[in-house]
Amino acid sequence: MPSEFLSRKNAASLIDSSDQLIDKWIKQGLLKAYYAGPREQSRSRDRKVQTRRKILVKRSDLLALL
């Protein structure tokens, strides 16, 4: 059974396209993005370290868009 959520790279591979197209569709609101992981992590009281969250899309949303 295929995974319901796909990374941007896997989504692009599924439709034989690029990560940039997936990003463009997300930015335009055509494809809903889901985020995994913390937005930021704090190391001390004074300083916070930014971390990148993983961007996921639903397989069903991607296929419906096509």
Side-chain angles (χ1 to χ4, degrees), residues 36-60:
R39 182 179 292 260
E40 59 188 12
Q41 297 174 342
S42 62
R43 284 191 176 170
S44 66
R45 284 190 122 188
D46 301 338
R47 168 181 109 155
K48 291 187 178 176
V49 176
Q50 294 285 355
T51 58
R52 293 193 85 175
R53 297 189 299 168
K54 188 167 185 163
I55 299 172
L56 304 171
V57 296
K58 277 189 177 179
R59 178 186 294 270
S60 57

Side-chain angles (χ1 to χ4, degrees), residues 4 30-32 34 57-66:
E4 178 64 25
L30 298 173
L31 187 61
K32 181 163 173 54
Y34 298 88
V57 296
K58 277 189 177 179
R59 178 186 294 270
S60 57
D61 291 346
L62 179 63
L63 296 177
L65 180 59
L66 297 177

